């Protein structure tokens, strides 16, 4: 019984300016076939693909060497691989030695360098035929992965002085196949990056050498079973992953908007009087959603008709006017003249006293001294906005004399932003005001700062914003403290100017500029549905998207683009993609909807959704073309060019697959004919002729 075959493969690498010959490595490797004859595969010829010159420079990368070793690590055929590095002037001396000892020559070129393929015909083919005219040659196209790779990324990763790879440099498969057919070589392609074709090259190189050996040693029967070099199935590049929808960070307008609004109180509807002469302006919606005490205060009905509701006794549940709180849950009996609310009574049991004024400026004024130590009185009057100078109806709240401007301003900043500066002075006074106003989060933050535990205030701020967002949504649903009405195609919706101004530059320009809408209580929004505007308002109030079941993503994207809200566009893109993916998984057909979304998304600056639509169309191009041929042809020239460039499977693969199947059928027919011929030759001596019989 014959032992395992030893195949000695010598891989040569010629590096310029190298002073001496180096033997880099020698290892044993194998193939997957059990071959029972002695084979010596001496050289794999790898030209220098970067700077080919007539003197003949070789280039072999370490990645290719390691890949060859990993591929040839199994099987029963042993191969000795020797890698030699030598200077250019030794090439003429060594070519004769190595070529004459070679059983097969593997001639490689780069599909990203047309010159290397040109040198195959003009230089290396002549050298091989001169030194070893009867040695089989295999032509190999390397770097197959560059056909579908991002060449810009590849060029960025290369060395600075390297020649960039251009799209026109990439050779199609038929170029290498035509050269191989012209020279009479079998043709293969390989990619170390994808680990494709390396094993095919060495397996078929051994087959080519054994077939040549079979002509010289025809008496060895086991060589008759060796197949000629097999066909290589084309490489199907992997699908490109779908693009991810990236959500940008929250814009600084949303973070700093409340603080800027407090400093420049556009559309202010509350005026605090401190120390009889200091006026601070604020907004009911911000104060009410941040403090239950202010929510109770601004929900009081102190119109002329409600004078009969005010009592002066401090005891008796039915005779007291209890205020309502946002963060409580007990059930109470709501008085008929109070604003309806489903929340329980707060802890305040003080009695409200009413004072009436007569004359031209007749108004109703509630005395709050017995209800809270922080307030003295509250009334409404026509005032002037400090920023625009426009007349506006103000809720005037007179503060107690014990309240000072500095600490109260810090409390207002907390109610707007949820933050407290650790460098604030008069922390004790701030804590006292927070206690009186029942702002317990602020009191806790002051306590943390005084105990050198200010780092814990971040969690308090997060919880504050969560509660505030829920209260704002509740106010939007119940139309509390609204000051503007949006007239839409299918109805109206109430909103709050302060919240809109602090979270959207477009709204700030609309209500704070010289537009006539700034003085109106009703604004028209054509071509907008109520559901779409509801989603926009909830985003502006809470910085989150809460889509409803009947929301049209493209309508919302169009409105967000009009309002210059890129983050809302990204959130809507994410929602639209998730809905499309969900529908596809449920077995629904989404190709037509994707085609509709594509150009609408491009028109409304939804670039991430457009990129996802392009990816879906390209990865399902054949199916979509078959079902929506007219729609595909109606797309813009840029989109059609993108389809042709990025379609999957690519055109070159489809051509290679057709060629592979056609050649495969031809070989099968040849094998059938050859087997019939061998069968007749084998049994010709056993058949009896009629004459002999």
């Amino acid at each position: 019984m014959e032992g395992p075959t030893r195949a000695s493969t010598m891989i040569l690498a010629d590096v310029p300016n190298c002073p001496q010959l180096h033997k880099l490595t020698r290892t044993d490797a194998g193939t997957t076939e059990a071959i029972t004859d002695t084979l010596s595969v001496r050289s794999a010829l790898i030209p220098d693909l970067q700077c080919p010159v007539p003197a003949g420079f070789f280039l072999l990368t370490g990645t290719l060497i390691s890949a060859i070793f990993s591929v040839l690590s199994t099987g029963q055929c042993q191969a000795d691989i020797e890698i030699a590095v030598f200077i250019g002037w030794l090439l003429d001396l060594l070519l004769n030695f190595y070529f004459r000892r070679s059983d097969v020559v593997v001639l490689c070129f780069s599909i990203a360098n047309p010159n290397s393929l040109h040198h195959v015909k003009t230089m290396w083919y002549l050298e091989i035929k001169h030194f070893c005219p009867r040695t089989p040659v295999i032509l190999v196209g390397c770097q197959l992965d560059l056909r579908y790779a991002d060449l810009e990324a590849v060029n960025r990763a290369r060395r600075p002085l390297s020649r960039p790879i251009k799209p026109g440099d990439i050779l199609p498969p038929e170029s290498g196949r035509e050269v191989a057919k012209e020279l009479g070589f079998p043709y293969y392609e390989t990619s170390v990056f994808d680990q494709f074709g390396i094993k095919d090259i060495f397996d078929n190189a051994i087959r080519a050498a054994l077939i040549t050996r079979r002509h010289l040693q025809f008496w060895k029967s086991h060589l008759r079973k060796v197949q000629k070099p097999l066909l290589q199935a084309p490489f199907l590049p992997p699908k490109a992953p779908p693009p991810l929808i990236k959500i940008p960070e929250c814009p600084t307008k949303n973070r700093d908007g409340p603080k800027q609004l407090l400093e420049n109180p556009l559309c202010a509807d509350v005026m605090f009087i401190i120390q009889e002469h200091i006026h601070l302006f604020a907004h009911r919606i911000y104060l009410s959603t941040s403090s239950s005490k202010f929510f109770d205060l601004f929900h009081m009905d102190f119109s002329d008709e409600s004078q009969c509701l005010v009592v002066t006794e401090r005891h008796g549940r039915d005779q007291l006017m209890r205020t309502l709180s946002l963060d409580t849950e007990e059930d109470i009996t709501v008085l008929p003249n109070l604003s309806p609310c489903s929340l329980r009574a707060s802890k305040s049991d003080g009695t409200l006293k009413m004072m009436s004024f007569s004359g031209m400026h007749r108004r109703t004024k509630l005395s709050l001294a017995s209800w809270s130590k922080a307030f003295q009185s509250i009334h409404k009057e026509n005032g002037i906005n400090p920023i625009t100078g426009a007349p506006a109806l103000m809720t005037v709240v007179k503060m107690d004399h014990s309240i000072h401007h500095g600490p109260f301003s810090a409390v207002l900043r907390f109610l707007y932003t949820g933050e407290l500066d650790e460098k604030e002075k008069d922390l004790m006074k701030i804590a006292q005001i927070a206690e009186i106003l029942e702002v317990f989060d602020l009191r806790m933050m002051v306590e943390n700062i005084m105990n050198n535990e200010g780092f814990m205030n971040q969690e308090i701020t997060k919880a504050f914003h969560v509660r505030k967002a829920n209260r704002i949504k509740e106010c939007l649903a119940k139309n509390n403290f609204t000051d503007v009405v949006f007239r839409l195609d299918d109805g109206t919706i109430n909103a709050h100017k302060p919240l809109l101004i602090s979270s959207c530059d477009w709204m700030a320009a609309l209500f704070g500029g010289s537009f006539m809408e700034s003085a109106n209580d009703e604004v028209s929004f054509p071509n907008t549905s109520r559901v779409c505007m509801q989603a926009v308002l909830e985003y502006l109030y809470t910085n989150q998207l809460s889509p409803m079941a009947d929301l049209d993503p493209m309508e919302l994207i169009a409105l967000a683009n009009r309002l210059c809200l890129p983050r809302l566009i990204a959130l809507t893109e994410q929602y639209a993609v998730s809905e499309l993916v969900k529908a596809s998984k449920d077995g629904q057909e989404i190709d037509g909807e994707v085609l509709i979304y594509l150009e609408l998304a491009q028109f409304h600056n939804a670039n991430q959704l457009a990129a996802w639509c392009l990816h879906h169309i390209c990865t399902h191009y054949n199916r979509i073309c078959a079902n929506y041929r007219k729609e595909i042809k109606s797309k813009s020239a840029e989109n059609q060019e993108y389809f042709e460039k990025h379609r999957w499977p690519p055109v070159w693969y489809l051509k290679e697959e057709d060629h592979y199947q056609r050649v495969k059928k031809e070989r099968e027919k040849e094998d059938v004919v050859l087997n019939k011929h061998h069968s007749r030759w084998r049994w010709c001596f056993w058949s009896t002729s009629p004459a002999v019989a």
Side-chain angles (χ1 to χ4, degrees), residues 237-385:
K239 280 186 180 181
L244 299 177
I245 306 297
K246 298 180 180 179
I247 307 300
E249 295 183 359
C250 181
T252 56
K253 177 70 177 177
N254 292 21
R255 294 194 298 264
D256 303 335
K259 182 178 179 181
Q260 295 175 0
L261 185 64
L262 180 62
E263 296 173 354
N264 302 297
L266 284 170
C267 303
D269 52 7
V270 178
M271 183 175 66
F272 292 101
I273 301 177
I274 303 173
Q275 302 294 323
E276 300 291 344
H277 64 280
I278 300 176
H279 294 175
L280 289 179
F281 294 89
H283 307 83
R284 290 185 302 166
I285 184 63
Y286 270 103
L287 300 177
S288 301
T289 54
S290 302
S291 168
S292 300
K293 199 71 173 178
F294 280 113
F295 182 86
D296 299 339
L297 177 65
F298 296 131
H299 259 81
M300 292 178 182
D301 187 1
F302 46 90
S303 61
D304 293 343
E305 293 78 5
S306 66
Q307 294 180 16
C308 60
L309 295 176
V310 181
V311 294
T312 57
E313 299 180 7
R314 297 186 57 85
H315 302 287
R317 179 179 180 120
D318 295 337
Q319 296 177 347
L320 290 177
M321 181 179 180
R322 296 174 180 259
T323 55
L324 303 175
S325 175
L326 275 170
D327 54 356
T328 55
E329 297 176 357
E330 283 186 10
D331 295 332
I332 65 169
T333 303
V334 181
L335 296 178
N337 293 74
L338 290 177
S339 300
C341 186
S342 61
L343 305 170
R344 73 170 173 84
S346 69
K347 301 177 182 178
S348 301
D349 288 335
T351 304
L352 303 177
K353 297 179 181 180
M354 179 169 290
M355 296 174 288
S356 296
F357 297 84
S358 59
M360 294 181 62
H361 301 285
R362 186 178 184 277
R363 62 179 179 269
T364 301
K365 187 175 183 179
L366 290 181
S367 177
L368 304 175
S370 59
W371 180 68
S372 175
K373 297 179 181 179
F375 311 113
Q376 284 190 356
S377 64
I378 179 173
H379 67 275
K380 287 189 176 183
E381 68 177 23
N382 289 323
I384 296 178
N385 188 281

Side-chain angles (χ1 to χ4, degrees), residues 2 36-38 210-224:
E2 299 182 6
T36 58
D37 188 36
T38 302
L210 288 177
I211 290 175
T212 304
R213 184 69 54 83
R214 182 171 59 189
H215 296 293
L216 300 177
Q217 301 176 0
F218 58 90
W219 59 88
K220 292 186 177 181
S221 59
H222 62 273
L223 291 179
R224 299 175 185 173

Side-chain angles (χ1 to χ4, degrees), residues 60-192:
L60 183 63
T61 62
T63 307
L64 180 58
I65 296 172
S66 61
I68 293 172
F69 291 163
S70 64
V71 170
L72 298 180
S73 59
T74 59
Q76 300 184 17
C77 177
Q78 303 296 325
D80 293 339
I81 299 180
E82 298 180 1
I83 302 173
V85 181
F86 55 92
I87 57 178
W89 61 270
L90 288 175
L91 180 62
D92 294 336
L93 299 177
L94 295 176
L95 276 180
N96 187 21
F97 174 75
Y98 281 106
F99 274 140
R100 295 188 183 281
R101 299 180 58 195
S102 299
D103 294 299
V104 64
V105 176
V106 179
L107 183 56
C108 304
F109 70 96
S110 172
I111 67 167
N113 192 339
N115 289 334
S116 61
L117 181 60
H118 177 69
H119 292 157
V120 167
K121 295 192 300 182
T122 60
M123 181 171 62
W124 296 110
Y125 174 72
L126 301 177
E127 294 284 345
I128 294 171
K129 290 305 177 183
H130 173 71
F131 288 103
C132 46
R134 297 183 180 179
T135 302
V137 181
I138 293 178
L139 184 62
V140 178
C142 302
Q143 297 176 306
L144 170 63
D145 52 279
L146 293 180
R147 277 211 185 99
Y148 64 89
D150 184 2
L151 296 183
E152 293 183 0
V154 172
N155 290 329
R156 286 195 301 268
R158 301 182 73 187
R159 289 178 293 182
L161 299 180
S162 300
R163 186 181 68 87
I165 302 175
K166 302 177 182 179
D169 295 339
I170 305 299
L171 296 172
E174 51 267 21
S175 297
R177 193 168 57 247
E178 289 175 0
V179 173
K181 184 177 180 181
E182 178 183 350
L183 302 179
F185 301 157
Y187 178 66
Y188 298 93
E189 291 187 339
T190 182
S191 170
V192 175

Side-chain angles (χ1 to χ4, degrees), residues 289-290 292 326-327 467-475:
T289 54
S290 302
S292 300
L326 275 170
D327 54 356
R467 290 196 301 271
K468 185 179 180 69
N470 293 332
R471 291 170 178 177
I472 288 176
K473 291 179 66 175
E474 183 178 350
C475 288

